[in-house]
C-alpha cells in the first residue's frame, strides 16, 4: 500500500457497500487490526484505510458524521483502540447542513501518527483537543457555509491549542476513559449560551437586578463612568433604577468622553494598518500573487486588533475578507495580469441574439454599451468633475416630471380616453 505524509478526505457518510469484495479476516494491508467496522456502515472503514495509508509520522484529517464519536458495539471498540494508541490528535465539530446531500452535522477527525504511542501505555496527562465550531457559520441559500473568520478561528485555536469557554479545550485521556471512550463533543464542551434568567421580583416590584448590570462588566471596564450615568441605586438592595429613558441610552453613551476615546483608539488601529499597507497597494506590479497579498494584509489586521477592547478580531477580519471577495479581489487580479493601463480600458457589451445583457453597462455612447472593469466612469466623474455633474440631476427632474404627467393623465382620463 502506498503511504503518504498527509491525507485529507471527505468519504461518503455511512456507506453501506464498503465491504463488497473485502475479506477483513485476510486483509493483506492489515487495515482492520483495531477492529472490523459494521458490515452496513463504512465510516470507520475509510478512517482505518486512511490511517494505514499514512507514514509513521503522517498526519491526516477526515470528515465523518458525528455518529462515529459515540456509536457502540464494533465502532466503540475501534474508537477505544484508536484513542488508546494516541492516533487521534483532536476532533473539530462542524455546523449542520454544510454538505450537499445531507443535513446532518459532521466532524473532522485529526490524525497524527507521529504523536501516537504505538503500543506503549498511555500517560496520565495525555489526551486530545476538542473544538465545538458548530455555531460559527452563515446561511447561504438552503445550506450553511463556513465564513473566512470561522475557518481562521478553527485553525488558530486548534494549531495553538487555545482553550476558549464554550468553544475548545484539551480533554484528558482519563476523562475520556471515565466516559467509556464516548467522544461526543457536548459531553466535554457545553457550547450553549448562558440562560436568560428572569427576576420575578423585578417584574412585580420594578427595578433592574444588579446582577444583570454586573453581567456587562466587559463594557464597564472600558467605560467606567457610563454605568453611573445610566444607573443609580434603587429603593431596595440588589436593584438599581434607570437614570435615562430607553430611547436616550444610545445618545447618552455616545456623548461620554470615554466613548469618543474608545472610537479614536479603535479607528487608529485601522488607520495605522491602512497607512502601513497603502504604498504596497499603490505599487501593485505585474506578476504579483494576490493570495499572498491578501494573506499579508489580513494577518496583519488580525494582529493589530488582537488586543482591542470589546471587538472580536475575527469579526474585523471578516469585514476585510468580505470586501476582498466582493470588490477588491477582481481589481487586484486585473492589475497583476494587465497592469495599471487596464484602468483606461472599456469593454463593449454585446448580447447574444435573443438574450439580454448579463452585466450592467457603466457607459452608453451612441447606443453602444461599455463596461469598465477597473475604474467605473461614475467614480472618475465624482472625483474630478463633481461640479459639472448635471446629467443625473436633470435625469431625476425628467423622471419626476414624467411621473407627474402620467398621474395627471390618469386622473383626468375618462372611460373613452382623455
Amino acid at each position: 500500500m502506498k503511504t503518504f505524509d498527509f491525507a485529507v478526505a471527505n468519504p461518503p457518510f455511512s456507506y453501506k457497500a464498503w465491504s463488497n469484495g473485502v475479506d477483513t479476516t485476510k486483509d493483506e494491508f492489515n487495515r482492520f487490526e483495531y477492529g472490523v467496522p459494521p458490515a452496513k456502515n463504512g465510516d470507520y472503514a475509510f478512517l482505518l484505510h486512511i490511517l494505514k495509508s499514512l507514514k509513521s509520522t503522517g498526519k491526516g484529517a477526515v470528515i465523518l458524521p458525528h455518529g462515529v464519536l459515540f456509536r457502540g458495539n464494533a465502532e466503540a471498540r475501534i474508537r477505544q483502540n484508536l484513542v488508546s494508541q494516541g492516533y487521534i490528535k483532536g476532533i473539530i465539530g462542524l455546523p449542520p447542513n454544510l454538505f450537499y446531500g445531507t443535513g446532518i452535522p459532521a466532524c473532522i477527525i485529526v490524525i497524527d501518527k507521529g504523536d501516537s504511542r504505538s503500543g506503549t501505555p498511555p500517560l496520565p496527562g495525555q489526551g486530545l483537543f476538542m473544538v465545538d465550531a458548530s455555531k460559527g457559520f452563515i446561511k447561504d441559500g438552503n445550506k450553511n457555509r463556513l465564513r473566512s473568520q470561522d475557518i481562521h478561528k478553527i485553525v488558530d485555536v486548534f494549531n495553538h491549542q487555545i482553550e476558549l469557554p464554550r468553544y475548545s479545550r484539551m480533554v484528558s485521556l482519563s476523562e475520556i476513559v471515565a466516559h467509556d471512550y464516548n467522544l461526543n463533543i457536548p459531553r466535554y464542551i457545553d457550547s450553549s449560551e448562558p440562560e436568560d434568567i428572569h427576576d420575578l421580583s423585578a417584574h412585580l416590584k420594578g427595578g433592574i437586578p444588579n446582577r444583570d448590570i454586573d453581567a456587562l462588566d466587559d463594557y464597564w471596564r472600558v467605560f467606567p463612568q457610563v454605568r453611573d450615568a445610566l444607573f443609580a441605586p434603587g429603593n431596595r438592595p440588589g436593584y438599581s433604577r434607570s437614570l435615562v429613558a430607553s430611547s436616550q441610552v444610545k445618545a447618552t453613551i455616545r456623548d461620554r468622553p470615554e466613548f469618543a476615546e474608545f472610537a479614536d483608539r479603535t479607528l487608529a488601529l485601522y488607520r495605522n494598518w491602512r497607512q502601513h499597507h497603502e504604498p504596497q497597494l499603490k505599487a501593485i506590479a505585474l506578476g504579483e500573487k494576490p493570495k499572498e497579498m491578501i494573506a499579508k494584509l489580513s494577518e496583519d489586521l488580525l494582529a493589530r486588533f488582537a488586543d482591542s477592547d470589546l471587538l472580536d478580531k475575527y469579526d474585523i477580519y471578516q469585514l476585510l475578507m468580505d470586501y476582498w471577495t466582493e470588490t477588491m479581489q477582481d481589481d487586484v487580479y486585473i492589475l497583476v495580469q494587465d497592469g495599471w493601463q487596464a484602468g483606461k480600458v472599456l469593454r463593449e457589451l454585446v448580447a447574444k441574439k435573443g438574450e439580454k445583457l448579463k452585466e450592467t453597462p457603466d457607459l452608453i455612447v451612441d447606443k453602444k454599451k461599455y463596461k469598465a472593469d477597473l475604474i467605473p466612469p461614475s467614480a472618475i466623474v465624482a472625483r474630478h468633475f463633481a461640479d459639472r455633474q448635471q446629467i443625473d440631476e436633470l435625469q431625476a427632474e425628467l423622471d419626476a416630471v414624467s411621473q407627474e404627467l402620467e398621474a395627471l393623465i390618469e386622473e383626468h382620463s375618462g372611460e373613452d380616453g382623455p
Side-chain angles (χ1 to χ4, degrees), residues 4-26:
F4 302 88
D5 295 303
F6 302 98
V8 179
N10 183 8
F13 289 178
S14 305
Y15 188 55
K16 297 184 184 303
W18 74 269
S19 59
N20 288 355
V22 178
D23 187 349
T24 58
T25 60
K26 299 178 181 179

Side-chain angles (χ1 to χ4, degrees), residues 285-317:
L286 289 169
E288 286 198 48
K289 300 186 180 342
K291 288 185 178 179
E292 292 181 5
M293 184 184 305
I294 187 58
K296 182 179 178 181
L297 289 169
S298 60
E299 291 302 318
D300 186 36
L301 186 68
L302 264 176
R304 290 173 187 265
F305 278 88
D307 299 319
S308 59
D309 293 322
L310 302 180
L311 299 175
D312 186 328
K313 65 178 181 178
Y314 294 107
D315 288 338
I316 304 298
Y317 170 83

Side-chain angles (χ1 to χ4, degrees), residues 220 225-232 241-244 249 252-253:
W220 310 138
Q225 298 175 20
V226 170
R227 178 170 182 164
D228 293 335
L230 295 176
F231 306 104
R241 59 187 176 86
S242 176
L243 294 176
V244 299
V249 170
T252 302
I253 295 173

Side-chain angles (χ1 to χ4, degrees), residues 133-202:
S134 60
K135 303 294 177 63
F137 64 90
I138 189 173
K139 292 292 294 182
D140 187 3
N142 61 350
K143 305 299 290 183
N144 296 330
R145 175 170 58 84
L146 293 174
R147 299 163 295 182
S148 298
Q149 71 179 89
D150 303 318
I151 298 170
H152 206 301
K153 184 176 181 179
I154 292 170
V155 172
D156 287 348
V157 166
F158 191 89
N159 284 347
H160 301 290
Q161 307 280 279
I162 302 170
E163 294 194 344
L164 298 176
R166 302 198 304 275
Y167 189 79
S168 60
R169 63 177 287 238
M170 175 64 74
V171 181
S172 67
L173 188 58
S174 59
E175 187 177 355
I176 294 172
V177 172
H179 285 286
D180 200 22
Y181 291 91
N182 187 314
L183 299 179
N184 198 19
I185 296 175
R187 284 178 176 253
Y188 306 95
I189 300 174
D190 181 5
S191 62
S192 60
E193 294 294 327
E195 187 178 355
D196 186 12
I197 300 174
H198 286 265
D199 189 305
L200 293 180
S201 178

Side-chain angles (χ1 to χ4, degrees), residues 334-407:
I334 289 173
L335 290 173
V336 300
Q337 270 189 289
D338 304 325
W340 290 89
Q341 295 297 319
K344 65 180 184 181
V345 174
L346 291 175
R347 175 167 54 87
E348 185 177 358
L349 300 179
V350 180
K352 293 182 180 180
K353 190 174 182 180
E355 295 183 4
K356 294 182 179 180
L357 286 176
K358 296 180 180 179
E359 299 178 89
T360 303
D362 292 317
L363 203 62
I364 301 176
V365 180
D366 294 333
K367 296 185 178 180
K368 290 185 176 181
K369 299 176 180 179
Y370 299 91
K371 185 75 176 178
D373 289 320
L374 193 60
I375 305 176
S378 58
I380 298 174
V381 172
R383 172 68 68 89
H384 301 287
F385 306 102
D387 56 331
R388 298 166 60 184
Q389 188 177 3
Q390 299 176 349
I391 189 167
D392 290 342
E393 296 177 6
L394 293 172
Q395 184 65 49
E397 289 181 19
L398 175 61
D399 292 342
V401 170
S402 298
Q403 289 177 2
E404 267 187 60
L405 179 60
E406 289 177 8

